[in-house]
Each structure stands twice: as structure tokens, then as C-alpha cells.
Amino acid sequence: MSRRAQSGVRPTHWLGLIAILAVVVGGGFALMNRTIDPMNGLTDLSATEFMENATALSGNEYKVEGVIDDRLDNWRSTAGRLFSLKLSDSSDSTFVPVWVPPEYKGPNIQRQQRYIFKVHVLENGVLKVLGLIKA
């Protein structure tokens, strides 16, 4: 009489199935919890280059990080808000003007808070805020 082949799942099959399941669950978790940097691909604004000739940088977009120092209070609110930003990348205290246009609908900007800005350099050297992240 011939013997019948053993049927059933072997332990190596279980181990392989568990390994595949772990990879799928781990990959899904990594994809769900990744963050996308909206400032990715932007060049950091050089403080020395900006201070030497800000109008030469006009028309370009940069990433700027710093602490909001103060707001120009006598500025008309219908024209936006103008802030003084102390740059983080400079060794000395370098302040640059940052203008938030009235149509900007982002988070509130507060004094003494650190932000990362996506800015557009205007013809007069003022940095127009296009986006921001609180750092």
C-alpha cells in the first residue's frame, strides 16, 4: 500500500507568512506617518547676500528661518502686516523685513516665535510671505 503525502502547513510556511505580513504592516505604517516638507527644494536665503544687495535677489523664492522680533504697528492693516524677522542663520543680529499680504490665510504670526517662511523677494527688497511653518 502506498503512503499518502502529508498535508498541512509546515512551520516554514507560517514563518514566511508572518514575515510578509510584518513587511506589509510596517510599510503601511511608514507611509501613513511620513511628513512632507512644503519647503523642500527651496534655497536658504543668505543673510550676507541679502544685506549686500537685496534688490539683486528680487523675483526669487527662498526659505527663511528666524524669530519674529516686532510688528510695525502704524502700518495699515488693509495693506497687510509688516514684521521684523531676526534671522537664525547669521552669527550677528540680522533683521529683515517680512510682509504678510492681506490675502494670506495662514496661521497667526506672533512675536518671539520661531518660524520657517517661504518668501518671494520683492523689487524693494521686502520679503513677501507665501507660506510658513511654526518651528
Side-chain angles (χ1 to χ4, degrees):
M1 198 178 256
S2 63
R3 299 181 92 199
R4 286 184 10 186
Q6 284 185 343
S7 62
V9 181
R10 296 185 178 175
T12 54
H13 291 135
W14 283 111
L15 290 175
L17 184 63
I18 291 172
I20 290 172
L21 208 65
V23 168
V24 168
V25 169
F29 183 77
L31 284 176
M32 295 298 288
N33 290 322
R34 68 182 176 155
T35 58
I36 298 173
D37 183 11
M39 309 286 180
N40 193 16
L42 288 175
T43 306
D44 290 333
L45 180 70
S46 169
T48 55
E49 205 173 318
F50 182 80
M51 297 309 283
E52 286 175 7
N53 193 0
T55 57
L57 303 175
S58 66
N60 296 323
E61 292 183 1
Y62 294 98
K63 177 169 68 169
V64 179
E65 183 174 352
V67 176
I68 295 294
D69 180 56
D70 205 1
R71 186 180 87 194
L72 188 59
D73 288 330
N74 58 355
W75 187 266
R76 294 183 333 225
S77 61
T78 57
R81 294 175 292 163
L82 189 64
F83 292 95
S84 173
L85 179 70
K86 182 179 180 184
L87 296 181
S88 297
D89 69 343
S90 61
S91 58
D92 57 343
S93 295
T94 304
F95 294 90
V96 295
V98 176
W99 176 59
V100 181
E103 64 271 3
Y104 181 72
K105 302 292 184 210
N108 289 338
I109 299 174
Q110 300 172 350
R111 292 181 182 109
Q112 304 305 318
Q113 297 294 316
R114 179 175 300 280
Y115 294 96
I116 301 171
F117 292 97
K118 177 181 179 181
V119 295
H120 177 81
V121 183
L122 299 176
E123 297 82 28
N124 57 2
V126 174
L127 303 174
K128 178 183 176 184
V129 174
L130 301 176
L132 68 94
I133 301 172
K134 187 172 181 181

